[in-house]
Amino acid sequence: MDRPEIAITPPIRTLQHLTCIVPVYNEAENLPQFIPQLITECKKFAQKIDVIVIDDGSSDNTVQVLKELQKEYALTALIFSRNFGKEAALTAGLSRVDPQSDATLLLDADFQHPLACIGSFVEQWQQGYEMVYGVRLHRKDRPIMLRMLSTFFYKLIDRITPIEIPHDAGDFRLLDRDVVLALNQLTERERFMKGLYAWVGFSKTAIAYVPEERQQGQSSWGLKKLIDLAITGITSFSNLPLRMWSVIGAVISTLSLLYALMIVLDTLIYGVDLPGYATITVAITFLGGIQLLSIGILGEYIARIFTEVKQRPPYIISRVLTSEQSK
Ligand code: UDP
Ligand code: MG
């Protein structure tokens, strides 16, 4: 839950050092325009700018493009050994932020997060907010089915978890140094970033933006990836799916006890009747289904415990390229 609003007075702090974290996966076509524009925009607001680009195992020539860009622009490129996903890429970027950096901006490389919004983000940060996040005004770039599923997911997560995840807010965020420190303390491997931003707390404010069309390439988030992310979100922040089986079990047991009582009375009053074949079949299949479902949900949590206890790092960086090396 957000902290109560703080008194807004003229800028409380000034931005000296800004870090930008850009996760990229097959963005070779966008990067040559994106990086220069990003740096030009950020220079309006801070004197020192660090740009950390994470190549999330791209299969196009993103790495080559990054090396070319490094000849001209100061940027650090973390090259993953394979595709680990955007959440892992953001985690890697955050762990490399210079502790001296006043604030850190997370944004996509496909121009869907308008660079023109950076100014308003910084303004809010200067007013004292520790986290400024972008909220999409509409999401026409996704099929209606996906949009409906995502609305359902947010409603569900609102109800069953103690954290409040703002709808339509993504990873387009400006984080204060303290927030970055807090996020870096979280060691879980299955990282549902939207949940973690909410979980760490701090004072937050939203900036509405209209996502632009993806300039080149296409979104790499299919239905399966989104469902996986939704399950990670729910299982990382709620125990309700585990607990509800106790309630369902109690209800079914009570009903069956009542039914047993009814049969006893029925037998005592009317004598032995031929037992209902249909009732038995329905009871067996219904309970069988419920049991399998509950085992499946248990399995989801066990799988996540398994992932955590293995203690594998969430990503592997195969190379770190700095501008000095490329020159
Ligand atoms: N991305 C990534 N790893 C992935 C998928 C995407 O780092 O496995 C990056 C991608 O290059 C882009 C950002 O994450 O900078 C958002 O991805 P995309 O545009 O595909 O998603 P959408 O805009 O549809 O949410
Ligand atoms: Mg995009």
Side-chain angles (χ1 to χ4, degrees):
M1 209 157 289
D2 296 359
R3 272 199 228 153
E5 287 208 5
I6 40 182
I8 307 290
T9 39
I12 305 176
R13 45 189 176 178
T14 48
L15 186 63
Q16 306 270 338
H17 185 168
L18 173 68
T19 303
C20 300
I21 295 182
V22 188
V24 298
Y25 178 58
N26 294 344
E27 301 282 6
E29 287 171 87
N30 284 321
L31 283 173
Q33 293 89 47
F34 179 76
I35 295 292
Q37 287 186 30
L38 172 70
I39 293 176
T40 314
E41 189 65 24
C42 288
K43 278 202 173 137
K44 295 181 192 165
F45 310 104
Q47 282 134 28
K48 184 165 165 40
I49 293 145
D50 289 344
V51 179
I52 304 177
V53 181
I54 304 95
D55 169 61
D56 189 8
S58 299
S59 50
D60 64 356
N61 58 340
T62 295
V63 178
Q64 213 42 50
V65 170
L66 282 172
K67 281 186 187 165
E68 282 304 313
L69 283 164
Q70 280 183 325
K71 291 183 181 152
E72 215 168 315
Y73 303 95
L75 58 96
T76 306
L78 309 178
I79 316 294
F80 276 5
S81 60
R82 66 168 171 85
N83 179 254
F84 283 94
K86 187 181 176 188
E87 318 275 312
L90 289 172
T91 306
L94 285 169
S95 71
R96 297 276 173 146
V97 174
D98 182 346
Q100 300 299 319
S101 170
D102 297 312
T104 299
L105 178 72
L106 312 179
L107 81 173
D108 291 356
D110 56 4
F111 290 96
Q112 288 198 292
H113 295 163
L115 298 174
C117 288
I118 298 176
S120 352
F121 275 46
V122 170
E123 223 168 76
Q124 294 301 317
W125 177 86
Q126 284 170 334
Q127 299 290 351
Y129 287 106
E130 288 148 314
M131 190 180 317
V132 188
Y133 58 90
V135 173
R136 286 181 297 265
L137 276 183
H138 60 81
R139 187 93 215 227
K140 292 221 173 95
D141 62 321
R142 273 202 181 147
I144 179 115
M145 235 275 285
L146 283 189
R147 272 188 276 156
M148 274 164 56
L149 271 178
S150 120
T151 311
F152 169 73
F153 166 71
Y154 282 113
K155 289 216 168 116
L156 183 71
I157 214 153
D158 252 5
R159 275 176 175 258
I160 68 172
T161 65
I163 53 167
E164 213 171 273
I165 300 180
H167 297 204
D168 285 327
D171 293 309
F172 187 24
R173 281 164 201 257
L174 183 70
L175 311 175
D176 183 64
R177 186 198 332 228
D178 293 345
V179 180
V180 175
L181 281 177
L183 286 171
N184 283 340
Q185 279 175 35
L186 308 178
T187 55
E188 59 203 85
R189 271 132 247 273
E190 291 261 1
R191 297 181 82 84
F192 177 60
M193 293 302 291
K194 290 186 188 77
L196 299 182
Y197 300 131
W199 188 88
V200 292
F202 294 100
S203 58
K204 305 184 184 76
T205 186
I207 299 268
Y209 74 96
V210 180
E212 292 178 18
E213 290 285 310
R214 196 174 219 291
Q215 288 222 340
Q216 303 288 337
Q218 46 175 288
S219 165
S220 38
W221 292 88
L223 182 65
K224 191 190 163 295
K225 255 184 159 180
L226 285 172
I227 291 179
D228 277 353
L229 195 65
I231 295 178
T232 307
I234 292 169
T235 50
S236 307
F237 289 94
S238 172
N239 293 333
L240 191 83
L242 287 175
R243 289 204 186 127
M244 69 184 186
W245 296 105
S246 318
V247 179
I248 294 174
V251 170
I252 292 181
S253 309
T254 317
L255 288 178
S256 53
L257 209 70
L258 291 175
Y259 187 56
L261 214 67
M262 215 174 84
I263 293 176
V264 171
L265 289 177
D266 203 43
T267 314
L268 285 179
I269 300 167
Y270 301 107
V272 180
D273 194 6
L274 254 191
Y277 160 77
T279 321
I280 294 174
T281 316
V282 169
I284 290 176
T285 47
F286 174 69
L287 286 178
I290 287 226
Q291 277 165 3
L292 287 178
L293 198 68
S294 61
I295 292 173
I297 289 183
L298 269 181
E300 280 295 332
Y301 283 87
I302 294 175
R304 266 150 239 283
I305 298 170
F306 187 45
T307 312
E308 297 297 331
V309 294
K310 276 188 290 192
Q311 302 230 340
R312 284 185 193 149
Y315 54 82
I316 299 282
I317 296 176
S318 65
R319 271 173 303 160
V320 178
L321 305 175
T322 56
S323 290
E324 282 70 42
Q325 290 166 341
S326 300
K327 273 176 192 158

